[in-house]
């Protein structure tokens, strides 16, 4: 969800820097428009996961559907790190809680490391853009 907020802030700052408004910026650059759609989907999926957290944890089938949608979205966005994170989340969601205990710990560590790498690259990329 935070990626959508940060990207919208970035676009707003870019529009102000170029002395234009938000709509004109989106109309002038197709990449910005597509990214707004993608980060909006990130926000929606994040909001669903947050709002229906308890329900999704009880009903693994619905959780798997949401995670599959996330994986497809990240594949279409050509975002390999979030695609991998989504795949690992799907594996985590389908793992048997009793049998998969060592696997769960390893997946959690991998997910945390990949998320940290993704955030680090995002910060570096944002720093290079500004």
């Amino acid at each position: 969800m935070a990626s959508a907020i940060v990207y919208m802030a970035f676009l707003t700052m870019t529009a102000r820097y170029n002395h234009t408004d938000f709509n004109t910026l989106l109309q002038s650059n197709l990449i910005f428009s597509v990214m707004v759609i993608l980060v909006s989907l990130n926000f929606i999926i994040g909001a669903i996961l947050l709002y229906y957290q308890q329900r999704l944890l009880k009903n693994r089938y619905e959780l798997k559907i949401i995670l599959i949608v996330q994986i497809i979205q990240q594949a279409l966005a050509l975002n390999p790190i979030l695609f991998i994170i989504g795949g690992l989340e799907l594996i985590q969601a389908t793992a048997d809680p009793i049998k998969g205990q060592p696997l769960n710990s390893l997946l959690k560590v991998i997910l945390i490391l990949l998320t940290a790498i993704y955030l680090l690259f995002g910060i570096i990329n944002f720093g290079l853009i500004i």
Side-chain angles (χ1 to χ4, degrees):
M1 289 175 57
S3 67
I5 296 168
V6 170
Y7 190 72
M8 292 301 193
F10 166 73
L11 285 181
T12 304
M13 290 186 319
T14 303
R16 285 186 179 238
Y17 179 76
N18 292 324
H19 305 293
T20 185
D21 64 348
F22 190 78
N23 291 333
T24 305
L25 182 69
L26 290 181
Q27 291 172 357
S28 67
N29 193 329
L30 181 63
I31 293 173
F32 287 157
S33 302
V34 171
M35 287 303 295
V36 166
I37 293 169
L38 291 174
V39 298
S40 297
L41 289 173
N42 282 345
F43 187 84
I44 291 168
I45 290 173
I48 289 170
L49 289 172
L50 187 62
Y51 186 75
Y52 293 109
Q53 180 179 8
Q54 294 303 320
R55 178 180 170 182
L56 291 172
L57 289 174
K58 290 178 186 173
N59 187 348
R60 296 288 180 159
Y61 179 74
E62 291 177 1
L63 178 61
K64 290 176 195 174
I65 290 172
I66 297 292
L67 293 175
I68 289 170
V69 169
Q70 177 194 13
I71 290 170
I72 292 170
Q73 177 210 352
Q74 297 307 327
L76 292 174
L78 301 175
N79 195 341
I81 294 177
L82 289 182
F83 177 79
I84 293 169
I85 289 172
L88 292 174
E89 288 172 345
L90 186 62
I91 292 170
Q92 175 77 19
T94 58
D96 186 16
I98 297 170
K99 289 187 210 173
Q101 204 61 24
L103 180 64
N104 290 344
S105 300
L106 178 62
L107 283 177
K108 286 179 185 177
V109 169
I110 293 171
L111 283 170
I112 290 170
L113 287 174
L114 283 174
T115 303
I117 290 168
Y118 181 74
L119 290 174
L120 178 66
F121 285 150
I123 291 169
I124 291 170
N125 188 28
F126 189 70
L128 293 176
I129 290 173
I130 294 178

